[in-house]
């Protein structure tokens, strides 16, 4: 079984917790894009864990975790993330973590460039996570990147790093007027944070192809959501990578394999980090109560997230481009405090009602939400574990969304803990 678990919205839908839960049935969990701009919060037997780079199957004994070629890896961050999980008693070694030799290293200069550019943009900034993700993907496509495999070619690495440092200084020192980067510092950084991974780096094409041939099942874990996809999202307010299910086999190392299913993770309301159009945004007291109820503060950055009601237009589009087989609806319990649930049922553009997600950023920025209110369940549902346990209004809300996005909802989560969920069928 090859399954992708992907975000339908703007990210932070609860992919990490669903992968942590559903990975019980899989032998391998593979992250296939993005870097440590992701923040996945998982609550299980080890307590509360925040994952940025590691796949969310990392705390399951017997599960092998793969970091694919589509990822960009800040080695210093990875070393610290691994240490913080080991401190909680989680085993991480070459037996349960494999890193693609083709994954690109996110260097200190990428982070630097990200920060310098956001500072330069001032009030025109993109709301970057400042983790270097945009710059490192740009360098990958400029073919000016260092990949994990390069670390273990000692005869070639120094020259490569020297050439790239010289090139990067044209921007860092020449363009931004920053102090030039010292090649020895970069070599020392690679030595310190890269060398520990010698036994983890492998050709994931060989590893995964053999594993699948031997009957192993693989779950592919995405970071961010459909609306942040570099091509199909709200460009330029997107991430720099492909967040879609269709990219999962490519970003993992097995482009020859086809997915059996794609599980879309969709939130019972909306949230968005950073700048850019967010049509369904709720402001004032209505927004504040929802943010509080949902604890909507970024796991990677701590930034307050923008919030809104469930967005039918955006979510239907997200489910379409993710090719969802079915959906896991998350955080339904957050809406418990509401007597009436706000739902953005359509957009209004130039006085006309539209149901289709605009691909033009100017149209999207001009679009206004059309809100309707559905009856709230207005009671605690966090202990519900079956369809029968759910109050009628909660079930009606689930059925309404299912119909609106045209995809069956298989799971509903009602709390952050691993077992706080309902299987609908
Ligand atoms: P991801 O980036 O998609 O993995 O999602 P995040 O982990 O960034 O954000 C989801 C947040 O919601 C985390 O803090 C989770 O612990 C929390 N969460 C996940 N599912 C539920 C749920 O069903 N109910 C509640 N109340 N919180 C949840
Ligand atoms: Mg997140």
């Amino acid at each position: 079984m090859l399954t992708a678990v992907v975000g339908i919205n703007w990210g932070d839908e609860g992919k990490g917790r669903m992968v942590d839960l559903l990975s019980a049935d899989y032998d391998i969990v593979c992250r296939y894009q993005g870097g440590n701009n992701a923040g996945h919060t998982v609550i299980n037997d080890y307590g509360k864990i925040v994952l940025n780079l590691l796949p969310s199957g990392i705390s399951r004994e017997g599960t092998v975790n793969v970091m694919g070629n589509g990822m960009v890896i800040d080695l210093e961050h990875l070393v610290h993330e691994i240490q913080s999980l080991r401190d909680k008693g989680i085993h991480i070694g070459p037996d349960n973590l494999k890193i693609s030799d083709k994954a690109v290293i996110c260097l200190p200069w990428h982070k630097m460039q990200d920060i310098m550019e956001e500072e330069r943009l001032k009030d025109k900034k993109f709301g970057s996570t400042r983790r270097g993700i945009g710059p490192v993907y740009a360098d990958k496509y400029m073919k000016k990147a260092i990949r994990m495999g390069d670390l273990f070619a000692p005869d070639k690495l120094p020259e490569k790093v020297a050439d790239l440092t010289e090139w990067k200084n044209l921007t860092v020192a020449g363009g931004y007027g920053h102090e030039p980067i010292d090649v020895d510092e970069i070599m020392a950084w690679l030595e310190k944070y890269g060398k520990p991974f010698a036994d983890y780096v492998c050709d994931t094409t060989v590893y995964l192809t053999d594993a699948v041939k031997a009957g192993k099942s693989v779950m592919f874990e995405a970071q961010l959501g459909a609306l942040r996809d570099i091509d199909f999202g709200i460009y330029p307010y997107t991430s720099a990578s492909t967040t879609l299910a269709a990219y999962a086999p490519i970003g993992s190392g097995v482009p020859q394999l086809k997915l059996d299913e794609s599980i879309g993770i969709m939130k019972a309301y909306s949230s968005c980090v950073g700048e850019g159009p967010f049509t369904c945004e709720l402001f004032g007291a209505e927004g504040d109560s929802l943010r509080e109820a949902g604890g909507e503060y970024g796991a990677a950055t701590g930034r307050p997230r923008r919030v809104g009601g469930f967005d039918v237009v955006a979510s239907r589009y997200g489910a379409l481009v993710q090719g969802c087989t079915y959906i896991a609806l998350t955080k339904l319990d957050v809406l418990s405090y509401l007597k009436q649930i706000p739902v953005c049922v359509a957009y209004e553009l130039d006085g006309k009602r539209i149901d289709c997600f605009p691909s033009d950023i100017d149209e999207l920025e001009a679009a206004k939400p059309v809100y309707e209110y559905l009856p709230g369940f207005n009671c605690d549902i966090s202990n519900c574990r079956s369809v029968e346990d759910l109050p009628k209004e909660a079930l009606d809300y689930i059925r309404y969304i299912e119909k609106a996005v045209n995809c069956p909802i298989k799971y509903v989560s009602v709390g952050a803990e691993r077992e706080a969920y309902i299987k609908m069928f």
Side-chain angles (χ1 to χ4, degrees), residues 11-12 38-40 299 305:
D12 302 320
H40 297 171
R305 296 170 183 157

Side-chain angles (χ1 to χ4, degrees), residues 118-119 121-128 130 237 275:
E118 283 285 284
E119 301 289 326
L121 285 169
K122 296 200 175 72
D123 58 339
K124 287 188 173 171
K125 68 184 192 304
F126 277 103
S128 161
R130 301 175 180 226
Y237 299 100
E275 313 297 321

